[in-house]
Amino acid sequence: MNDLVLMGLEGAVLVTGLAVLLLDLWITPDQRRLLGFGAIATLGVIFCASFAYLPDGTQYAFGGMYALDEFALYFKRFFLIAGMFVLLLSVGTSHAEEGGQGEYLSLSLFALAGMMFCASAANLALLFVSLELVTVTFYVLVGFQRRRLASLEAAIKYLIIGALSSAFLVYGIALIYGATGTLDFRQLASLPAAVMESRILWLGALFLFVGLGFKMAAVPFQIWAPDVYQGAPPSTTAFLAVGSKAAGFVLLLRVLHQTLPVLETRWLHLLMGVAGLSIAYGVLCAIPQRSLKRLLGYSSIANAGYLLIGVATLSAAGATAALYYLAGYLYTVLAAFIVIAVVLQHTGRDDFDSLAGLHQRSPLLAAGLTFAMVSLAGIPPLAGFFGKFLVLKAALAAGAEHPGFYWLLGIAVVGVVISLYYYFGVVRAVYWGTPGEQPAGPIRVEWPLQVALYLAMVAILWLGVMPNQITNLAELAVKSLGLR
Amino acid sequence: MASLSFIIFCPLLAALLIAAIPRNFKVLFRLIALGATFLPALAAVRLFLGMEPASGRLQYEEFVPWVYSLGISYHVGVDGLNIGLILMGAIVGFAAACISREITDREKEFYLLLLLMTGGILGAFASYDLFFFYFFHELALVPTFIMIGVWGRGDRKNYATFKITLYLSLGALLSLIGLLALYLQAGGQTFNIVELTRRLSANPLSPGAQQAIFPLLMFGFGILVSLWPFHTWAPLGYAAAPTATAMMHAGVIKKFGLYGLLRVAVPLLPAGAESWLPVLALLCLGNLVYCGLVAMRQRDFNLLLGNSSVAHMGFVFLGIASLSLVGVTGAVLVMVAHGFLAALSFALSGYLHQRLGTLEMVQMGGLLKRLPFIGTVLAMALLAGCGLPGFANFPGEALVLFGAVKAGQWWVILAAWSGLVIGGVYMLRAIRQILHGHLPERWAGVPDAPHAWHKLPYALLLAGLVVFGCFPGLLTKRIQPNASRIVQAVNGPMLAGFPGEPEAAGYWLARGRKVTGHE
Amino acid sequence: MTPGLEHYLVVSLLLFALGLLGVIIRRNLLVIYMSLEMMLNAANLALVAFSRFNNNLNGQVMVFFIITVAAAEVAVGLALIVALYRQRQSAHVEDLATMKL
Amino acid sequence: MEYYLPWFILLLPLASAVAITLTSLRKGVVAARLSIGACVLAFVLSAVLFGRDASGVTQFNWISLSDGATSFIADIALRLDPLSRLMLLVVTGVASAIHVYSFGYMRHDPGMGRYFAGLSLFMFSMLGIVLADNLLMLFIFWELVGVSSYLLIGFWYEKEAAADAAKKAFLTNRVGDFGFLLGIILVWALLGTLDIGALKTKLLTDPDALGALATAAGLLLFCGAVGKSAQFPLHVWLPDAMEGPTPVSALIHAATMVAAGVYLLCRLFFLLDVPGSHALVVIAWTGGLTALLAALMAVQQDDIKRILAYSTLSQLGYMVMAVGLSGSADNPSPAMYHLTTHAFFKALLFLGAGSVIHALHHEQNIWRMGGLVRRLPLTFWTFLVGTLALCGVPPLSGFFSKDGILALAQHGNLALFALAVLVAGLTAFYMFRLVFVAFIGPAKSQAPDHAHESPPVMTAPLVVLAVPSVLAGFWGINEYFGQQYGARPVEHGFLATLIEPFTHAPGAALSGLIATTAGVALAFALYRNAVTDPLPSRLGLVARWLRDRFYFDELYAGLIRWTQDALAAVADFVDRWVVAGLVVKGVQGSVELTGRLLRLVQTGNLQTYSFLFAAGVALLLYFALAR
C-alpha cells in the first residue's frame, strides 16, 4: 500500500487519463471543453498534492524499481506544469476536431504519466517501459491530424527513428544486464570497480545513451527533430520540446550520477563533444530557417547542447544549472508554441511572413512571442538569461579541471551570438515585417490561451527576476541525487 | 527622494506603467517618460551635490540579498568613480526623452524601451554586484537593438541592426565569461565587488589566472566601447539609430565597458592589468589616429560623429592604460564629458536630419544663418569635440595626455596629434560645410528650435559640458580617491578597496546572512 | 559442443546488424518496420542468453516487457502506416519527404 | 581689493560676452555698449593696478590631483608682475580704442551683437594669457584666443573666403599648439609642476633640472609661439586672416594676439635660457627668417590689409629674433618693448586702413586708390604717423624699440644684424609704397572720388593711438620690462633718452637709419606717380615669387594632401572594405554559408535519416571505445 502511495502522483494522472477516455464516450461535443478543463484542474490538484510529499532522502517502492526523491519530485512538478499548459493549449486550439478531443487529452495524460515515471525510474526495466510509454503515445500525438500529410509524415519519421533508438536502448539494457547481471540502479551503483571496467558495460551504457540522446534531440541523434517539430500539431510539438526532452535529461542525470557513478569520467568527454556539436549544428542550421516551428526544432537541438554542458560538468552547479535552464525553457517554449498555434489557426502557415503585422493584429501574441524569443536569446531580465548564466558559470568552474570546457564555452558564446541573429529575426518579423495580401484583421485569442500566455510570460519574467526559489528547489533536487 | 534605488527604478517602473496603459493615450506616454526621467535627473543632481566629495567612501548604499546561494545581492551605492556617470546618464536620459518629440509612430513601445534603457544603465553604473552590474547593462543594451531596428533610418538600417546586435552581444558575453571566471577564481562565493576587492587584495589570484581573465574582460568591454579594430559597428549603428537611441547609447551605455575596466578589471586583476594594458595602449592608437583619419573622410555628418566618438574613446583607453592617477582621473572625466558631448552632437544631428531630411554635408551650408540657436550650439559641440578648453572634454583629454607621458608612453605624441589636429580638421570641416558658406536655396525655410521648451535638452547638455569644463575640480576631487586606489592596486603598496568599510573579511556575507536569515 | 554465451551473442549481434541494415537500405515502410522488430528481438535474444548465463531471471522478465511494448508499438506503427497508405496509396519512404532542409 | 582687481579685469569681458550671448545677440547697440564698457572698465582697473605697482599671485584651484609620487596641480592663477602689469595696460588700452572704433565700423552690420560677443570673448582669453601663472592655464587661454580669433575671422561666414581663412587659421594654430602642449607636458614630466613661479624657483636652484631635454622642451614651447605669432613655417594663416573685419585685424592680428607668442617667450624666458639649451639660437634664426620672408612678400602685395599683415609678420619676426638674441643679456625686454610700440602703431595702421576701406566701400586694392590725402586728411596723417613709427624714424616710438633690437643683433650675431638692417630697409620701402600709391599718388579709379572722412567715433581712436605711437619711446617702457628680469632701472632725461641709441650703439642706430632712408627713397622713386606697379616688369620671376608668397600655401596644400589626407584615404578604404567589408562580412558570410550547407543533411528522406542515425551511433562508439 505504501508503494502505491509513493506512486500516487503517476497513478492519479493515469486515472485521470482513463477517466477522460471513458467520460468522452458519454458527453456531448460541446461539453468536451469542460472535460479538458476538468483534466487541467485535476492536474492542478495533483500538482498541489506533490508538495505533500516530503521525501527524507530517497524512498523506494516496488522492490526498488521506483524511487522518490526531491530530484524526481522536481521533474514531476515540471512535467505537471508542462502538462497543464499543453492541455490548455489543446483545449484552446481546435485541431482536436479531427480526432476527438477526448483521445488527445487522455493520450497526453498518458504521456505525462510516462514522463513522471521516467523521473522516478530506478530500474532499467522501468526506464524502458516509461520511456516507451512516452514514445508510443507521442507517435499517436504527432500523427494526430491524420488527414494532414505533414502530421502523418512527421509521425512516421518519429516512429521509425524512435523505434530505431528504442532498439539501441533495449540492446544497451541487454548488454548492461549481461555485464552485471542486474537491472536495478542501486545494485548497479554498488558493483565492484572491476566490473565497471568491463567494455561490454560501457558499450551498453553507450547504447543506452543513444536512446536518451534521441529523446533529448542531441547531435548525432537530432536528425528527426526539425521535421517532426514542423509536422506535428503545435501542442504536441510543445510537449515534445519540453516534456520529452526533459524526460531524456532526467534519465540521463539519474543514470550518470546514481547508476553508473564510476563511469562518470568516461562520460565527460563524450558529453562535452555531444554538447558542442549540438550547439553548433542547431545554431548554424537555424540561420536560413523561415518556418517558425522548424526554427524551434533547430533551436531545440541547440538548447539540448546548452543543457548538456551543464550535465557534462558532472557537478552540482552544472546539474542545478541544467534544472533551472529546463524550467526557464519550459515557459519560453510554451509561450512560443501558444502563439504559433494561434497564428497557424488563423493563417494556416507558420513562416516569418505570416507573422508580419502581428503586433497590430494581436499585441498580446506579439508580446508573447517577443518574450519567448528574447528569453531564448538569453537576454535579461528573462529566464533564458539566468539559465545561460548558470550554465556558463558551471562550465567555467569545470574548466579549471578540464580545459576542454573552455572550448565548449567558446562554442556556446558564439552560438548565443549567432542565435540572436535569428531570434531577433522573428521579433523583427513581428514588429516591422511588411504584411502581404493576407487579411489584416485582428486575431482574437480564446481566453484559455490568453490565460496560458499571460501565465507563461509572467513566469518567464518571474524566473528571470526572482530565480531564487527555483534555484533553491533545483539545488535540493541535485543534492538528493547525491551531488555536492 | 534622492535614493539611488529611486533613480534606478523610477524609469523601470514607469516602463511597466506604460506597458499597462492602452496605446490610445499617446500624450500620456510622453508625459510619463518625461517625468520618469526628470525626477531621477533631479535626484542625481542632489546626490552629486550631497555626497561627501573627497572621501572615496561608498555612499548612499543599499543592500538586498537576491540569490543567496550564489552570493548575488542587489547592492548599489556611489563613489567618485560612478557618481559622474550616474549624473550624466540621468541628465542624458531626460534630454533623450525631451528630444523624442520626433517619434510619432508607436510611441508606447518607444518610450517604454527608452525608460528601460535609462533605468538599466543607471542601475549598471550604481551596482556593486557583478551580476547586477551585467544584468542591468544587458537590460539597457537590448532596447538599443530593437529601437534601431524599428525606428531606425536609412537603407542600411537592417544591416546596422544586425551588426550592432551581434557585435555588442559578443562583447557582452565575453565580458560575462570574464566576470564569471573572476567570480569563480575568487572562490565562487560572492559577486559583491566590495567583498571581492577585499578578498583579492588580501589574496590576489595567481598571475596566470589574472593574465587569462584580464583579456576576456578587456576585449569584452573593449568591443562594447568600440575598441579598434572592433569598432565598425559604431558609426554604422549610430548613423542608423533614432536620435534618442544614439544619444543614450553613444553617450551613456557605451561608457559601461570603460567603467567595467576601471571598476572591475583593473583593480581586481592588477597583475593581468600590468601585462595586458600595454596592448590596450597600442590598440587605442587605432581609435585615436586611425578612426580620426577615417572620420576626416566622411561625407555623412552622422558617420563623422560616429567615427569621432570612436576616436574619443581612445583617450579613455589611453588614460586607463597609463595606470597613473592623472591618467585614470582624466579617463573618468573624459567618460563623463563625452557622454554629454556625444548626446548633444547626436541630438543636434537628429534635429538636422529631421528638418533637412539629409545629413550629407556637401548638400548643406550656411545654416548658421537660418539656425542661430541650433547652429551656435552645434558649433560649440563640435569645438568641444576637438578639445577646446571651456568644455569638459579638454581637462579630461589633457589629464590623459599628462598621465600617459608620466607613464612613459611616447605614443602620446600621436594621441595629442589626433586630439588637437586631426580632431580639429574634421570638426572644423564639419562646421565649414554645415554652418559656414553659402546657404542653398532649398534650406531657405529651415526653422530654428522655436522656443525654450525645444531648446531645453540642448541647453541642458551644453550646460553639463560647460560646467564640468570650467570646474572640472567638481569631478576630479570626487574621482581622485578612487582613482588613486585603482592605480595603487596595480603599482603601489597600498591595497585596493574601499575606504571606511569594516575591515573584517566576510563582512558582506555576514550581512547578507543576517538579512535573509539563511544558513 | 554446447552453444556458449558467445554463440548466442554473435547470433544476436548478427540479427541486430541485419535489422539495422534493413532499416537503412529498404525503402518499403513495412519492411523497415519488420527490420526494427528484428532488432528488438535481437535484444531479446541477448537478454535471454544473458539471463541464462547470469543465472537470474531479471533478463527474462525484461523480455516480457519488451515484447509487450513492441506489440503496442507495432499496433500504433501499423495504424500510422495504414493511414499513410490511405492518403498516398504508397508506403515508400521517398514519398515522405515534403518536409526537409 | 588688490586681490580681487585682477579677477575683475579678467572676468569683466567674459561677463560681457556671456551677457551678450544670452540676451542681446540681436540688439547690436546694447551689445556694443556692454562690450565697450567692459573693456574700458578693464583698462581703468589695469591702470589702477599699474599705478599701485601691485604684484603677487592669486589663485583658484581648478584641478588638483596628487598622490605620493606625482602631483598635478592646475590652478587658474593670476600673476601680477612688471611684465603682466604693463601688458595688461597695453592690451586693454589698445583694445579700448579698437572697441570704440568698431562701434563705428560695424554700425550697420546685422551681426554686431555677435561681433562684440566675440570681441569680449577674445579680451577675456587674451587677459587670461597675460595674467596666467600656470602653464596649463596659459594653454587654456591660448586655445581660447585661438577660437575667438576663429570666430572673428569667420565673422562673415557666408563668404567662402572668410570661412576658409578662419578654418585655416585655427588649424595652423592647432599644429603649433600641438607642440606647445607637448612642451608643457614634457616640462611637467621633468619638473613636476605647472606653476610658473615654482618652475622658476626650481630652475634657479637647479639650472640643469631639464637635463638633456632642455633644447627639446624649449623648442616645443616655442612651437606655441610659432603658431600664434605666425612664425615661419606656420606663417601662412595670418595674411588669410585679413578676411575678418578690419578692427579684428587691428586688435587680434596685429596688436595683441599675434604678439602673445612673443609674450609667451618672454614669460617663459627662464625655461629657454638654461645652460645647455640651444633653443634660443633656433628661435633667433626663425624670427630673422620670418622677418625677412615676410618683408619680401609684403613688397609685392596689392591689398592694403595684406601689406599690413605681412608687415606684422615681419615685425613679429623681429621680436622673436630679439628674444632669441637676448640669451647673453638674460633680458628679453627689447622684444617686449617692440611688442608694445608695435601694438600702438600697428593697431593705428590697421584702423587707418579700416577707415580707408570704410570710406571706399570695401575697396582694398591699393591700385584702385590714390589721392586720399585730400579726401581723408585725418586718416592720412595718423596713418603717416603710424608708418613713420613702424619704419623707425626718430623720434617716434618705433625708432627706439627697433634700435634696441638692432643693437642686440649687432652685439650678438652679425649675420642676423645684417638681416635685420635689410628688413628695416624693406619695411620702409613697402610701407612708403603703400603710402605713395594709396594716399599721395594720383587716383587710379573712381572710388576715391566719393570717399568721405569717417565719423568721429572712428577717427578719435586713430588720434588716441597716434599719441603713444609717437611718444612711447620716452616712457621708459624698456626699463619697466627690464625690472622683470632683474635689470636695474636707469633714469634718463628726455634728451638723454632721445640720443641714447646713438650713444649706446651708434653703429646699429645709424645703419638702421640709413636703411630706412634708402627704403623711403627707393619707394619715392618708384611709386611717387606710379599708376601700375613697375616692379613686376623689372624683376620678372622674382616679383612673381614675391607676389605668390614663395608658394608656401601651395607647398603646404600639397604636403597635406600627400600625407595626412592620403593616410585618411587609406584608413577610410581599409575601414570600409577590409575591416567592415572583408573581415566582418567574410565571417558573417561564411557562418551563413556553413549553416546553409549543413542543413542539406536534412534531406527529408527517412532512409538518409536512419543512415545518419546509425552513422551517428558508429561515430559515438568510435570515439568512446577507440580511446
Side-chain angles (χ1 to χ4, degrees), chain D residues 188-207:
Chain D
W188 176 76
L190 292 174
L191 301 181
T193 176
L194 289 167
D195 188 87
I196 291 178
L199 283 171
K200 205 167 179 175
T201 354
K202 264 205 176 139
L203 278 179
L204 273 179
T205 51
D206 178 16

Side-chain angles (χ1 to χ4, degrees), chain D residues 411-602:
Chain D
H411 183 68
N413 186 329
L414 278 181
L416 280 174
F417 175 65
L419 192 147
V421 172
L422 176 60
V423 171
L426 282 170
T427 306
F429 175 71
Y430 66 70
M431 279 314 292
F432 275 91
R433 169 176 178 262
L434 168 59
V435 170
F436 286 130
V437 172
F439 289 95
I440 298 169
K444 292 154 205 73
S445 73
Q446 306 300 314
D449 299 342
H450 311 292
H452 294 288
E453 185 60 279
S454 305
V457 68
M458 286 170 69
T459 49
L462 294 180
V463 179
V464 168
L465 281 172
V467 176
S469 300
V470 176
L471 298 178
F474 304 102
W475 292 345
I477 294 172
N478 197 20
E479 284 71 24
Y480 194 83
F481 280 130
Q483 294 172 34
Q484 172 86 11
Y485 304 96
R488 259 183 296 114
V490 193
E491 285 298 324
H492 292 296
F494 175 78
L495 214 73
T497 309
L498 187 60
I499 60 161
E500 199 263 339
F502 299 96
T503 56
H504 174 61
L510 286 177
S511 35
L513 271 181
I514 293 167
T516 306
T517 322
V520 177
L522 196 60
F524 183 80
L526 282 174
Y527 293 106
R528 173 65 185 88
N529 286 312
V531 182
T532 55
D533 197 340
L535 274 189
S537 54
R538 297 207 190 164
L539 291 177
L541 197 62
V542 178
R544 239 198 28 235
W545 273 67
L546 297 181
R547 178 178 298 271
D548 292 337
R549 299 161 278 177
F550 300 111
Y551 299 99
F552 273 114
D553 292 88
E554 287 75 6
L555 178 71
Y556 289 170
L559 204 64
I560 291 167
R561 187 174 321 125
W562 290 111
T563 54
Q564 187 160 296
D565 284 356
L567 270 177
V570 170
D572 187 49
F573 178 85
V574 169
D575 207 49
R576 208 176 288 254
W577 300 111
V578 181
V579 178
L582 212 60
V583 178
V584 176
K585 281 238 173 90
V587 170
Q588 186 203 3
S590 52
V591 166
E592 187 163 349
L593 188 69
T594 321
R596 285 185 184 280
L597 287 178
L598 202 56
R599 72 179 191 143
L600 291 181
V601 166
Q602 302 276 1

Side-chain angles (χ1 to χ4, degrees), chain D residues 130-369:
Chain D
V130 173
L131 289 167
D133 188 36
N134 185 295
L135 283 180
L136 196 69
M137 172 186 173
L138 194 57
F139 184 79
I140 290 171
F141 287 99
W142 201 253
E143 286 285 299
L144 286 180
V145 284
V147 82
S148 40
S149 148
Y150 168 77
L151 295 176
L152 288 167
I153 297 172
F155 178 71
W156 288 308
Y157 57 82
E158 281 162 86
K159 250 169 64 185
E160 309 278 342
D164 286 336
K167 194 176 108 191
K168 183 173 173 183
F170 192 82
L171 289 180
T172 318
N173 267 303
R174 267 293 166 103
V175 177
D177 296 349
F178 162 67
F180 187 27
L181 183 61
L182 289 185
I184 295 176
I185 294 177
L186 188 60
V187 168
W188 176 76
L190 292 174
L191 301 181
T193 176
L194 289 167
D195 188 87
I196 291 178
L199 283 171
K200 205 167 179 175
T201 354
K202 264 205 176 139
L203 278 179
L204 273 179
T205 51
D206 178 16
D208 291 323
L210 286 171
L213 290 170
T215 310
L219 287 181
L220 283 171
L221 292 174
F222 176 54
C223 279
V226 169
K228 202 107 303 178
S229 287
Q231 296 299 292
F232 173 81
L234 298 181
H235 62 277
V236 289
W237 66 270
L238 186 57
D240 287 9
M242 296 302 130
E243 291 295 341
T246 309
V248 168
S249 310
L251 179 61
I252 300 183
H253 305 120
T256 54
M257 183 188 89
V258 288
V262 180
Y263 180 78
L264 172 76
L265 295 179
C266 293
R267 175 56 88 198
L268 301 180
F269 191 67
F270 62 93
L271 273 169
L272 309 172
D273 186 25
V274 291
S277 165
H278 305 290
L280 284 177
V281 182
V282 179
I283 293 175
W285 276 100
T286 310
L289 199 60
T290 310
L292 180 66
L293 283 175
L296 284 172
M297 294 182 214
V299 166
Q300 275 298 291
Q301 301 304 315
D302 296 334
D303 184 308
I304 184 168
K305 283 180 69 183
R306 285 194 171 237
I307 297 173
L308 293 177
Y310 283 106
S311 157
T312 309
L313 273 180
S314 172
Q315 297 303 311
L316 288 168
Y318 245 80
M319 301 174 211
V320 169
M321 182 178 79
V323 175
L325 290 170
S326 305
S328 53
D330 289 335
N331 178 2
S333 61
M336 281 311 295
Y337 187 21
H338 194 56
L339 185 156
T340 311
T341 57
H342 177 260
F344 296 137
F345 57 69
K346 191 50 72 62
L348 171 60
L349 286 173
F350 264 107
L351 295 188
S355 174
V356 171
I357 294 166
H358 188 71
L360 298 183
H361 303 286
H362 296 278
E363 179 55 67
Q364 302 194 7
N365 191 336
I366 56 171
W367 294 102
R368 299 178 63 77
M369 301 178 186

